[in-house]
Amino acid sequence: MPEQLVSLEIRDDVAWIGLDRPQKRNAISDALLAALDARVEQAQAAARALVVFGHGPCFSAGLDLSEHKAREPAEVFQHSRGWHRVFRRIRTGPVPAIAAVHGACVGGGLELAAACHIRVAEEGAFFALPEGTRGIFVGGGASVHVARLLGAARMTDMMLTGRALDAAAAERAGLVTYVTPGGQAQAKAAEVAAKVARMAPLTVMGVLQALPRIQDMSEEDGLFVESMMAALAQTGRDAQERLAAFLEKRAPKAGEG
Ligand code: 1HE
């Protein structure tokens, strides 16, 4: 039987996407990347939040180095563009994605986590960009997206020295927004995903579609798009019902969940 490579389970509006190649530390081979792409497409059609996690001892060891020993420049270029396509599906798709990280989250594994919208890490997780040690460069979007999360200065340090960030340092740097005790990343991700799945669809659309684009705009253009998005969200049926629920004391107060 062929290896499954990526598992998918849907429970209560949440899709659980598991990198499932633990004997190779979930190293991302071409086949695993294709399986991930297919699973993400299925999950986005069926769920309101998705969680990406790793089976076995870690999240992911990144690029499958065994497939990269001898590739021509044009092949590497197309391969990198392929990673961008798959991660773009996650980043710009309709469903918020949460990475639940334990153990190693390195190289392309970190790029995958960075493609998700929220990152949860357990104590003991670590983040690194060992490309320099291997004589290669990032190719799954890190120069743009990891640099935005961490700041180019920290990414430069990680790439030039091979330094790893533990979960606490990753939280201080803004890479992860929840740190849990060992063994608890998936439980926390489930809690976060349940909240995300209940959020108003047009607000989710604004956060996933407008907010990242606004980061690339001038101040005036960004504020213009924000107002357009507000006009769209606030005049929807969902807003009318949710605002009324608060005013009639049927909805939780801010911070209550
Ligand atoms: C692999 C890979 C891999 C493990 N490609 N086979 N990524 C890296 O440079 C990270 C390389 N991996 C590691 O540093 C370590 O494996 C870990 C810290 C992630 C985990 O250590 P450990 O002790 O749990 O496992 P291990 O004994 O090192 O590895 C177990 C097996 O997985 C072993 O194979 P085996 O047949 O000898 O059992 C390893 O060879 C295999 N394995 N990682 C292939 N990455 C779009 S560009 C992105 C660029 C990058 O991602 S660069 C970063 C690459």
Side-chain angles (χ1 to χ4, degrees), residues 190-252:
E191 197 187 294
V192 172
K195 289 182 183 165
V196 166
R198 289 197 296 272
M199 215 41 87
L202 282 176
T203 309
V204 170
M205 191 181 107
V207 173
L208 265 52
Q209 305 301 325
L211 185 58
R213 286 179 171 82
I214 289 171
Q215 306 315 299
D216 290 332
M217 292 177 186
S218 67
E219 180 189 356
E220 258 321 303
D221 288 348
L223 294 176
F224 172 78
V225 173
E226 177 182 281
S227 299
M228 296 290 278
M229 191 60 231
L232 186 62
Q234 252 144 269
T235 51
R237 256 202 307 271
D238 205 39
Q240 286 169 22
E241 161 50 25
R242 286 171 182 253
L243 294 170
F246 174 75
L247 296 171
E248 292 159 16
K249 306 204 183 305
R250 291 185 281 114

Side-chain angles (χ1 to χ4, degrees), residues 3 22 46 59 70 77 82 95 112 118 132-133 144-145 162 171 181 223 256:
E3 280 184 297
F59 183 79
F77 177 84
V95 177
L112 170 57
I118 296 176
T133 318
V144 176
H145 298 290
E171 187 184 28
L223 294 176
E256 287 179 355

Side-chain angles (χ1 to χ4, degrees), residues 10 17-18 24 29 31 39 44 46 48 65-66 68 137 143 148 164 183-184 187 196 204 216 230:
I10 298 176
I17 298 178
K24 294 289 181 186
S29 58
R39 293 311 206 182
Q44 287 176 336
R48 298 200 56 194
L65 298 168
S66 69
H68 266 258
F137 195 61
S143 336
R148 279 186 188 171
Q184 297 296 308
V196 166
V204 170
D216 290 332

